[in-house]
Amino acid sequence: MQPFTYLTPGSAEEAVAAYAEAGEGAVFVAGGTNLYDLMKLGIARPSHLIDVTGIEGLDTISTEGEELRFGANAKMSAVAAHDHVAGQYPVLSESLWKAAAPQLRNMATVGANLLQRTRCLYFRNGAGSVSTVGVYPCNKRAPGSGCAAIGGLDRGQAVLGTSEACTAVSPGDWPVALTALDASVEVLGRDGARRIPITEFYRLPGSTPDVEFALAPGEIVTAVTVPRTEAGRRSTYHKLRDRASYAFALASAAVALEMEGETVRRARIALGGVATVPWRASGVEAALAGRRLSRDLALEAARGAFAEARPGRQNGFKIDLGAQTLADALMIAMDRA
Ligand SMILES: Cc1cc2nc3c(=O)[nH]c(=O)nc-3n(C[C@H](O)[C@H](O)[C@H](O)COP(=O)(O)OP(=O)(O)OC[C@H]3O[C@@H](n4cnc5c(N)ncnc54)[C@H](O)[C@@H]3O)c2cc1C
């Protein structure tokens, strides 16, 4: 591991200034549950760590007003257990409860969760001790080196949003729930503050899979906001994985419904575990609007989300699993009063 300096700014403005001064090689760190892992693997090699956990007020959770607002440093466990969130927006709460493990959720923050890196085997295991090029090519880790997952072990890889350069799955659960609810990410940089709709926050891999987020260098995430919606109460995050806990999604679905009796007025749907970014399923939303919801309709519409899927050698099962997961999520959400 290479030596690094460790800075502890007291405000978001100080953190942005510290980054600007430190220059290339600086990274922010919050709970460290992803970054320290990557440093130990030799994938992240920062020269300056800017620890944002001491920034006052950055962990505030507010559920008053037009939108819910979660400070970037709020712990995953605190947001999951928040009474208003758990009661009125189960999709948000469940996406956090079903992620990682209790110890991790007590350390990890909802702002940095958005920025965690992929769990693709070749991204994580390929780095060598002296360079990020490593033993396996990976365009995300070492741009231009190739993608060992294409034609390799691809059981966990994405079937939606892939490119010739990358098929790595977007790993987070919380971003999928946020995508269904049209959340925004508040950031602060040298040019001031701005809000990025979550649907624009993640970049499809295309030919530059190393560019993953719509953040400029040195911009700090300060909060996540979620517009109020009555669909929040009729919502769920349904996650299928290899183990009942402590595992990333093979397929997941975030669903929030506005219903009139048994008829869907409006559905909000996003998929996880199957795509390179949190995947908004707008086609399925349109297919369900104005129709009486049944398991048959749910499955038929859910299959439409995978019409453009491009499976590899071992991950074709995700097409049926993803559709069944979404259909089940729709029925769970409908049953919630
Ligand atoms: C064994 C294991 C199992 C897991 N299972 C799941 C799972 O099932 N589902 C799931 O969703 N997640 C899972 N995770 C991932 C975990 O949720 C993330 O590691 C965690 O959310 C990251 O939060 P953190 O505060 O620890 O981030 P850090 O590790 O501190 O940072 C993560 C990234 O965010 C950047 N960063 C941090 N704060 C800021 C900021 N304010 N502004 C800009 N950049 C910032 C860092 O530079 C880094 O790139 C798992 C992790 C482990 C280790």
Side-chain angles (χ1 to χ4, degrees):
M1 193 185 290
Q2 72 175 33
F4 53 85
T5 64
Y6 181 74
L7 305 162
T8 54
S11 69
E13 290 75 13
E14 273 177 44
V16 170
Y19 189 104
E21 196 172 321
E24 209 178 311
V27 294
F28 298 117
V29 62
T33 62
N34 189 228
L35 183 68
Y36 293 151
D37 230 9
L38 297 176
M39 287 169 68
K40 284 187 257 175
L41 289 170
I43 296 167
R45 296 159 183 273
S47 49
H48 305 277
L49 278 190
I50 304 172
D51 184 340
V52 300
T53 53
I55 296 178
E56 210 172 315
L58 213 65
D59 60 353
T60 307
I61 301 171
S62 153
T63 55
E64 308 294 320
E66 286 299 292
E67 55 189 16
L68 315 181
R69 190 170 186 282
F70 305 105
N73 279 352
K75 303 288 191 207
M76 289 170 72
S77 52
V79 175
H82 191 282
D83 279 348
H84 185 82
V85 178
Q88 305 296 316
Y89 297 85
V91 63
L92 295 178
S93 180
E94 289 171 6
S95 75
L96 293 164
W97 282 131
K98 293 181 181 179
Q103 294 91 336
L104 286 159
R105 294 193 294 267
N106 285 338
M107 284 297 290
T109 60
V110 295
N113 181 281
L114 305 178
L115 297 158
Q116 64 174 296
R117 311 291 306 277
T118 184
R119 311 301 287 197
C120 172
L121 293 177
Y122 297 102
F123 171 79
R124 286 179 62 84
N125 292 336
S129 57
V130 291
S131 89
T132 52
V133 175
V135 287
Y136 296 113
C138 170
N139 288 319
K140 215 181 248 313
R141 173 168 38 75
S145 62
C147 174
I150 297 175
L153 297 174
D154 62 7
R155 177 177 181 270
Q157 299 300 110
V159 294
L160 294 169
T162 58
S163 72
E164 296 302 312
C166 185
T167 60
V169 164
S170 182
D173 295 299
W174 163 246
V176 178
L178 293 174
T179 297
L181 296 189
D182 286 310
S184 294
V185 185
E186 292 185 0
V187 305
L188 180 74
R190 293 202 85 187
D191 296 332
R194 64 184 180 120
R195 280 167 80 108
I196 309 170
I198 190 105
T199 45
E200 294 168 22
F201 189 75
Y202 293 94
R203 296 266 167 90
L204 284 166
S207 57
T208 53
D210 53 310
V211 183
E212 299 176 293
F213 313 106
L215 275 184
E219 273 185 323
I220 181 174
V221 173
T222 51
V224 177
T225 61
V226 179
R228 280 190 179 285
T229 167
E230 64 174 83
R233 245 197 284 176
R234 234 177 188 152
S235 72
T236 191
Y237 185 74
H238 192 46
K239 175 175 175 181
L240 271 283
R241 43 195 156 164
D242 281 325
R243 290 186 298 267
S245 114
Y246 206 35
F248 288 86
L250 284 173
S252 70
V255 168
L257 296 175
E258 285 171 39
M259 303 288 292
E260 216 162 275
E262 291 182 354
T263 301
V264 178
R265 204 179 323 138
R266 180 167 182 197
R268 295 163 178 277
I269 301 169
L271 304 176
V274 292
T276 52
V277 295
W279 194 259
R280 186 76 186 248
S282 318
V284 185
E285 294 176 356
L288 293 173
R291 299 182 69 185
R292 194 176 155 276
L293 188 55
S294 64
R295 182 70 169 63
D296 285 349
L297 173 65
L299 188 56
E300 178 196 315
R303 290 203 194 285
F306 292 88
E308 313 274 298
R310 290 174 56 190
R313 297 194 312 172
Q314 298 140 352
N315 61 353
F317 73 96
K318 286 195 175 189
I319 295 175
D320 192 47
L321 186 71
Q324 299 281 354
T325 303
L326 173 51
D328 287 348
L330 284 161
M331 302 318 288
I332 295 168
M334 183 173 81
D335 285 345
R336 290 197 166 151

Short mmCIF file of all heavy atoms in Angstrom, two decimals, residues 298-326:
data_model
loop_
_atom_site.label_atom_id
_atom_site.label_comp_id
_atom_site.label_asym_id
_atom_site.label_seq_id
_atom_site.Cartn_x
_atom_site.Cartn_y
_atom_site.Cartn_z
N ALA A 298 -48.53 -8.76 -14.40
CA ALA A 298 -47.24 -8.33 -13.83
C ALA A 298 -46.09 -9.05 -14.52
O ALA A 298 -45.09 -8.43 -14.92
CB ALA A 298 -47.22 -8.59 -12.32
N LEU A 299 -46.23 -10.37 -14.71
CA LEU A 299 -45.15 -11.14 -15.31
C LEU A 299 -44.98 -10.80 -16.80
O LEU A 299 -43.85 -10.63 -17.28
CB LEU A 299 -45.39 -12.65 -15.12
CG LEU A 299 -44.25 -13.55 -15.55
CD1 LEU A 299 -42.94 -13.19 -14.83
CD2 LEU A 299 -44.58 -15.01 -15.27
N GLU A 300 -46.10 -10.65 -17.47
CA GLU A 300 -46.03 -10.30 -18.90
C GLU A 300 -45.31 -8.95 -19.08
O GLU A 300 -44.41 -8.81 -19.90
CB GLU A 300 -47.46 -10.22 -19.45
CG GLU A 300 -47.57 -9.83 -20.90
CD GLU A 300 -49.01 -9.41 -21.24
OE1 GLU A 300 -49.96 -10.10 -20.84
OE2 GLU A 300 -49.14 -8.33 -21.88
N ALA A 301 -45.72 -7.97 -18.27
CA ALA A 301 -45.09 -6.64 -18.37
C ALA A 301 -43.62 -6.70 -17.96
O ALA A 301 -42.76 -6.09 -18.60
CB ALA A 301 -45.85 -5.64 -17.49
N ALA A 302 -43.33 -7.47 -16.90
CA ALA A 302 -41.95 -7.57 -16.39
C ALA A 302 -41.03 -8.17 -17.45
O ALA A 302 -39.87 -7.76 -17.59
CB ALA A 302 -41.92 -8.40 -15.11
N ARG A 303 -41.53 -9.13 -18.19
CA ARG A 303 -40.69 -9.74 -19.24
C ARG A 303 -40.26 -8.68 -20.27
O ARG A 303 -39.18 -8.77 -20.86
CB ARG A 303 -41.44 -10.88 -19.93
CG ARG A 303 -41.63 -12.09 -19.03
CD ARG A 303 -41.85 -13.36 -19.85
NE ARG A 303 -42.34 -14.47 -19.03
CZ ARG A 303 -41.61 -15.18 -18.17
NH1 ARG A 303 -40.35 -14.87 -18.01
NH2 ARG A 303 -42.13 -16.16 -17.48
N GLY A 304 -41.13 -7.68 -20.47
CA GLY A 304 -40.81 -6.61 -21.42
C GLY A 304 -39.55 -5.85 -21.05
O GLY A 304 -38.84 -5.33 -21.93
N ALA A 305 -39.24 -5.80 -19.74
CA ALA A 305 -38.05 -5.06 -19.30
C ALA A 305 -36.77 -5.71 -19.82
O ALA A 305 -35.72 -5.08 -19.89
CB ALA A 305 -38.00 -5.01 -17.77
N PHE A 306 -36.88 -7.01 -20.19
CA PHE A 306 -35.68 -7.75 -20.60
C PHE A 306 -35.62 -8.01 -22.10
O PHE A 306 -34.80 -8.79 -22.57
CB PHE A 306 -35.60 -9.06 -19.80
CG PHE A 306 -35.34 -8.80 -18.34
CD1 PHE A 306 -36.40 -8.60 -17.46
CD2 PHE A 306 -34.05 -8.70 -17.85
CE1 PHE A 306 -36.17 -8.33 -16.12
CE2 PHE A 306 -33.81 -8.42 -16.52
CZ PHE A 306 -34.88 -8.23 -15.65
N ALA A 307 -36.50 -7.32 -22.85
CA ALA A 307 -36.56 -7.55 -24.30
C ALA A 307 -35.21 -7.27 -24.96
O ALA A 307 -34.83 -7.94 -25.92
CB ALA A 307 -37.65 -6.69 -24.92
N GLU A 308 -34.49 -6.30 -24.43
CA GLU A 308 -33.19 -5.92 -25.04
C GLU A 308 -32.00 -6.55 -24.31
O GLU A 308 -30.87 -6.14 -24.52
CB GLU A 308 -33.00 -4.41 -24.96
CG GLU A 308 -34.18 -3.56 -25.39
CD GLU A 308 -34.17 -3.34 -26.89
OE1 GLU A 308 -33.21 -2.74 -27.37
OE2 GLU A 308 -35.12 -3.81 -27.55
N ALA A 309 -32.27 -7.52 -23.43
CA ALA A 309 -31.18 -8.10 -22.63
C ALA A 309 -30.16 -8.80 -23.53
O ALA A 309 -30.52 -9.41 -24.53
CB ALA A 309 -31.75 -9.09 -21.62
N ARG A 310 -28.89 -8.69 -23.12
CA ARG A 310 -27.82 -9.36 -23.87
C ARG A 310 -27.04 -10.25 -22.91
O ARG A 310 -26.03 -9.82 -22.34
CB ARG A 310 -26.90 -8.32 -24.51
CG ARG A 310 -27.59 -7.57 -25.65
CD ARG A 310 -26.72 -6.45 -26.17
NE ARG A 310 -25.40 -6.93 -26.58
CZ ARG A 310 -24.40 -6.12 -26.89
NH1 ARG A 310 -24.56 -4.80 -26.81
NH2 ARG A 310 -23.25 -6.60 -27.27
N PRO A 311 -27.51 -11.50 -22.74
CA PRO A 311 -26.81 -12.38 -21.81
C PRO A 311 -25.49 -12.87 -22.36
O PRO A 311 -25.29 -12.90 -23.58
CB PRO A 311 -27.79 -13.55 -21.63
CG PRO A 311 -28.61 -13.54 -22.87
CD PRO A 311 -28.68 -12.11 -23.35
N GLY A 312 -24.61 -13.29 -21.47
CA GLY A 312 -23.35 -13.89 -21.88
C GLY A 312 -23.49 -15.41 -21.82
O GLY A 312 -24.53 -15.96 -22.17
N ARG A 313 -22.45 -16.09 -21.29
CA ARG A 313 -22.46 -17.56 -21.32
C ARG A 313 -23.22 -18.16 -20.14
O ARG A 313 -23.87 -19.17 -20.26
CB ARG A 313 -21.02 -18.07 -21.29
CG ARG A 313 -20.23 -17.63 -22.52
CD ARG A 313 -18.95 -18.40 -22.67
NE ARG A 313 -18.18 -18.46 -21.41
CZ ARG A 313 -17.12 -19.20 -21.25
NH1 ARG A 313 -16.69 -19.97 -22.23
NH2 ARG A 313 -16.46 -19.19 -20.11
N GLN A 314 -23.09 -17.52 -18.94
CA GLN A 314 -23.65 -18.15 -17.74
C GLN A 314 -24.72 -17.32 -17.04
O GLN A 314 -25.21 -17.72 -16.00
CB GLN A 314 -22.52 -18.41 -16.72
CG GLN A 314 -21.46 -19.35 -17.22
CD GLN A 314 -20.06 -18.92 -16.81
OE1 GLN A 314 -19.86 -17.83 -16.28
NE2 GLN A 314 -19.08 -19.76 -17.07
N ASN A 315 -25.03 -16.14 -17.56
CA ASN A 315 -25.96 -15.27 -16.82
C ASN A 315 -27.34 -15.13 -17.47
O ASN A 315 -28.11 -14.26 -17.08
CB ASN A 315 -25.32 -13.89 -16.59
CG ASN A 315 -25.01 -13.17 -17.90
OD1 ASN A 315 -25.15 -13.75 -18.97
ND2 ASN A 315 -24.59 -11.92 -17.81
N GLY A 316 -27.65 -16.01 -18.43
CA GLY A 316 -28.95 -15.95 -19.09
C GLY A 316 -30.10 -16.15 -18.11
O GLY A 316 -31.21 -15.64 -18.32
N PHE A 317 -29.83 -16.87 -17.00
CA PHE A 317 -30.87 -17.11 -16.00
C PHE A 317 -31.41 -15.81 -15.39
O PHE A 317 -32.52 -15.77 -14.88
CB PHE A 317 -30.34 -18.02 -14.88
CG PHE A 317 -29.38 -17.32 -13.95
CD1 PHE A 317 -29.83 -16.77 -12.75
CD2 PHE A 317 -28.03 -17.18 -14.27
CE1 PHE A 317 -28.95 -16.12 -11.88
CE2 PHE A 317 -27.15 -16.53 -13.42
CZ PHE A 317 -27.62 -15.99 -12.23
N LYS A 318 -30.61 -14.73 -15.50
CA LYS A 318 -31.05 -13.46 -14.90
C LYS A 318 -32.27 -12.88 -15.61
O LYS A 318 -32.98 -12.05 -15.04
CB LYS A 318 -29.91 -12.43 -14.91
CG LYS A 318 -28.83 -12.71 -13.88
CD LYS A 318 -27.95 -11.49 -13.69
CE LYS A 318 -26.94 -11.73 -12.57
NZ LYS A 318 -26.21 -10.51 -12.21
N ILE A 319 -32.50 -13.29 -16.85
CA ILE A 319 -33.64 -12.75 -17.59
C ILE A 319 -34.93 -13.24 -16.95
O ILE A 319 -35.83 -12.44 -16.62
CB ILE A 319 -33.56 -13.14 -19.09
CG1 ILE A 319 -32.32 -12.45 -19.71
CG2 ILE A 319 -34.83 -12.77 -19.83
CD1 ILE A 319 -32.05 -12.85 -21.14
N ASP A 320 -35.03 -14.54 -16.73
CA ASP A 320 -36.25 -15.05 -16.10
C ASP A 320 -36.30 -14.67 -14.63
O ASP A 320 -37.35 -14.26 -14.11
CB ASP A 320 -36.33 -16.57 -16.27
CG ASP A 320 -37.72 -17.08 -15.88
OD1 ASP A 320 -38.71 -16.47 -16.35
OD2 ASP A 320 -37.81 -18.04 -15.11
N LEU A 321 -35.15 -14.78 -13.94
CA LEU A 321 -35.13 -14.43 -12.51
C LEU A 321 -35.53 -12.97 -12.31
O LEU A 321 -36.31 -12.64 -11.41
CB LEU A 321 -33.73 -14.67 -11.94
CG LEU A 321 -33.61 -14.47 -10.43
CD1 LEU A 321 -34.31 -15.59 -9.68
CD2 LEU A 321 -32.14 -14.41 -10.00
N GLY A 322 -35.01 -12.09 -13.18
CA GLY A 322 -35.33 -10.66 -13.06
C GLY A 322 -36.80 -10.40 -13.28
O GLY A 322 -37.42 -9.61 -12.54
N ALA A 323 -37.39 -11.06 -14.28
CA ALA A 323 -38.82 -10.85 -14.56
C ALA A 323 -39.67 -11.38 -13.40
O ALA A 323 -40.63 -10.72 -12.96
CB ALA A 323 -39.19 -11.53 -15.87
N GLN A 324 -39.32 -12.56 -12.89
CA GLN A 324 -40.09 -13.12 -11.76
C GLN A 324 -39.94 -12.25 -10.51
O GLN A 324 -40.90 -12.04 -9.76
CB GLN A 324 -39.60 -14.55 -11.43
CG GLN A 324 -39.73 -15.56 -12.55
CD GLN A 324 -41.15 -16.11 -12.73
OE1 GLN A 324 -42.04 -15.82 -11.94
NE2 GLN A 324 -41.36 -16.88 -13.78
N THR A 325 -38.74 -11.73 -10.31
CA THR A 325 -38.51 -10.87 -9.14
C THR A 325 -39.36 -9.61 -9.24
O THR A 325 -39.99 -9.19 -8.25
CB THR A 325 -37.01 -10.48 -9.07
OG1 THR A 325 -36.23 -11.67 -9.02
CG2 THR A 325 -36.70 -9.63 -7.85
N LEU A 326 -39.40 -9.03 -10.42
CA LEU A 326 -40.22 -7.82 -10.60
C LEU A 326 -41.71 -8.13 -10.45
O LEU A 326 -42.44 -7.38 -9.79
CB LEU A 326 -39.92 -7.18 -11.96
CG LEU A 326 -40.82 -6.01 -12.36
CD1 LEU A 326 -40.88 -4.95 -11.26
CD2 LEU A 326 -40.34 -5.38 -13.67
#
